[in-house]
Amino acid sequence: MHELSIVMNILDIVEENASKNNAVAVHEIELDVGELAGIEFDALGFAFENAEKTKMLKDVKFTVNRITPVARCSNCTHEFDTSAYYSECPRCGSVKTTIVKGNELKVRSFKMD
Ligand SMILES: [Zn+2]
């Protein structure tokens, strides 16, 4: 499952960082996940619940911030909410739009002791 490998990857990164900071436990991981990141949100939560966790991560809470995608028009620079990779600018009708937010998947923060 795609989401499980993503979760394992996130847990590795967090643990590595926590170890560098001499942490004994990580309590919370907060993620920013865009709706265009290609992630099933339910599957992500499920993968996290079921991922094998090390002692440092065993009581961790997992929070996902769902990011609504925003596109910017290359023609008139208007920014607008969207739900698709390719969309038409609602102001000028141009199809030269690029996603500026909403395709990310990143660890926003984590809390540790
Ligand atoms: Zn435009």
Side-chain angles (χ1 to χ4, degrees):
M1 186 167 62
H2 178 55
E3 282 75 9
L4 184 59
S5 61
I6 290 166
V7 165
M8 296 308 287
N9 197 17
I10 289 165
L11 294 179
D12 276 353
I13 292 166
V14 168
E15 175 148 14
E16 200 184 313
N17 276 283
S19 296
K20 275 186 198 153
N21 288 289
N22 301 314
V24 290
V26 178
H27 302 293
E28 189 180 346
I29 299 173
E30 194 178 353
L31 291 187
D32 283 347
V33 183
E35 286 175 7
L36 294 178
I39 300 294
E40 285 286 344
F41 285 82
D42 288 350
L44 189 68
F46 182 83
F48 189 81
E49 291 303 317
N50 291 282
E52 218 170 286
K53 299 181 193 72
T54 57
K55 201 174 162 219
M56 188 188 274
L57 294 165
K58 74 175 167 47
D59 294 321
V60 72
K61 192 172 152 260
F62 190 56
T63 306
V64 175
N65 300 312
R66 197 169 174 139
I67 309 293
T68 302
V70 173
R72 181 191 288 130
C73 176
S74 307
N75 185 45
C76 74
T77 72
H78 181 56
E79 291 192 1
F80 54 97
D81 287 356
T82 183
S83 58
Y85 253 98
Y86 301 101
S87 48
E88 198 170 280
C89 174
R91 185 188 277 171
C92 75
S94 171
V95 292
K96 284 190 179 171
T97 58
T98 47
I99 297 296
V100 292
K101 202 172 81 170
N103 57 0
E104 65 273 71
L105 191 163
K106 63 181 185 212
V107 177
R108 176 189 282 231
S109 65
F110 57 94
K111 292 180 188 147
M112 59 194 175
D113 273 346

